[in-house]
Amino acid sequence: MKTVYYSTLSLSNRDHIFLQSIIVLYNSRGNAKWVSSDGIDSNLLVVGKDTDSDALQVIPNNIKVVLSFNNDFCNDNYHIIYVETPLKATSLIDKLKTVEDVLTQLSNQSIKNNNVISNNSKKLKLLQWPTAEIIAKNTAYPILSALLSKRPMGVEELVSISRKSEEICRCFVDLVVNAGCAEYISINSSVTQNNEHVNAADVSSKRGLLDKIRNRLGLFWN
C-alpha cells in the first residue's frame, strides 16, 4: 500500500480539522495511507487559503505536488490541485485520489528517467543471436544484431553507427534484453574486456615475431 507523507502550511484550524477527519475516513477504506509529516519526507504540501505570498516562497524543494485551499496560489514549479469551496467531503475525497494518481505518475516517471540514465551509462552485450521472431519485427534488427555481435556498445553509439532512429534502437534493445539475448554491462567491464582482447592479440603478435627471430638464429626450443 502506498504511503502519502504530507505537511501543511498556514492551514486554519477549521480546515485542518476537516482535512484530518476526511483523511481518517479515507485511510479506513483501504486506500493509500496518509501520514502527517513536517520533515523532508513529505511529498505533498497542503496550503491554507490564507497563506501569504512570503510563506509560499519557502516551500521545500522536495515538494512537487500541492493540495491548495488557496485558489489564488499559482506556481508552475508545482502540480497544484485546488480544493473546491464550499468544502464537501465527497469533493475532498476525490482530490485525495487525484493527489495519489499524480504522485504515482511522478514516481513512475522518475523511475523511468533513472533507468534511462543508468542504461545510458552501460553498454549492451549480445549473448546470442536474437530469435527469428524478434528479427522479423523490423528490417533494421538484423543490422543492429550484426553490429552488436562485433562488440558491446551503448544505445547512443548504436544509433550513430547504424544510422537508425533512437526509437528503433531502443525498441530493439528492450526486446533482446527482455528475451535474454543480450545484457547490459558496465562501461568499465567493456573496456576491460576490450583491453584483454587487445593485449592477447599484442602478445600473440610479439610471440610470433620472437619465434621468427629464434628460427633465423637457429635457436629452436619449445
Side-chain angles (χ1 to χ4, degrees):
M1 180 184 296
K2 181 179 178 62
T3 301
V4 176
Y5 294 96
Y6 70 94
S7 55
T8 61
L9 179 65
S10 302
L11 203 61
S12 67
N13 288 335
R14 175 178 175 275
D15 290 344
H16 189 273
I17 293 173
F18 181 72
L19 175 65
Q20 286 294 105
S21 63
I22 295 300
I23 286 178
V24 170
L25 175 65
Y26 190 75
N27 284 342
S28 68
R29 294 183 175 180
N31 299 292
K33 183 179 180 181
W34 285 59
V35 178
S36 177
S37 172
D38 292 330
I40 59 175
D41 292 334
S42 299
N43 45 22
L44 168 71
L45 180 67
V46 182
V47 174
K49 61 182 178 181
D50 297 325
T51 307
D52 58 43
S53 57
D54 290 337
L56 294 173
Q57 299 301 317
V58 293
I59 295 177
N61 293 331
N62 55 295
I63 297 296
K64 300 300 179 185
V65 182
V66 173
L67 180 64
S68 181
F69 285 73
N70 185 342
N71 291 328
D72 295 327
F73 174 52
C74 297
N75 193 311
D76 293 336
N77 294 325
Y78 312 103
H79 191 113
I80 304 175
I81 299 164
Y82 296 100
V83 177
E84 299 172 356
T85 54
L87 297 177
K88 295 181 180 179
T90 54
S91 176
L92 185 54
I93 289 175
D94 288 339
K95 299 302 179 182
L96 299 187
K97 291 180 179 178
T98 301
V99 167
E100 287 180 23
D101 291 340
V102 171
L103 289 173
T104 299
Q105 291 174 8
L106 292 175
S107 177
N108 291 340
Q109 185 62 45
S110 177
I111 293 173
K112 182 178 179 181
N113 291 340
N114 289 337
N115 287 337
V116 170
I117 293 172
S118 175
N119 289 340
N120 282 343
S121 65
K122 297 180 180 180
K123 290 192 175 185
L124 191 73
K125 179 182 180 181
L126 197 66
L127 302 175
Q128 64 185 48
W129 191 260
T131 62
E133 182 181 2
I134 293 177
I135 293 294
K137 289 182 179 294
N138 194 299
T139 55
Y141 289 177
I143 298 173
L144 300 178
S145 300
L147 290 172
L148 281 176
S149 67
K150 295 180 179 180
R151 61 178 175 83
M153 61 180 70
V155 175
E156 292 182 357
E157 187 179 6
L158 189 61
V159 171
S160 177
I161 295 176
S162 68
R163 296 184 179 180
K164 304 299 179 182
S165 70
E166 182 175 349
E167 181 181 1
I168 288 177
C169 290
R170 288 199 180 277
C171 287
F172 169 75
V173 166
D174 289 341
L175 285 171
V176 293
V177 169
N178 291 334
C181 299
E183 66 178 3
Y184 283 107
I185 61 174
S186 66
I187 292 179
N188 290 337
S189 174
S190 175
V191 170
T192 299
Q193 289 179 3
N194 289 337
N195 288 340
E196 287 175 353
H197 291 315
V198 170
N199 291 337
D202 187 46
V203 169
S204 178
S205 175
K206 289 180 179 178
R207 284 179 178 173
L209 179 59
L210 287 173
D211 288 340
K212 290 180 180 179
I213 294 174
R214 289 167 180 166
N215 288 335
R216 289 187 179 183
L217 294 174
L219 301 174
F220 302 100
W221 62 73
N222 292 327

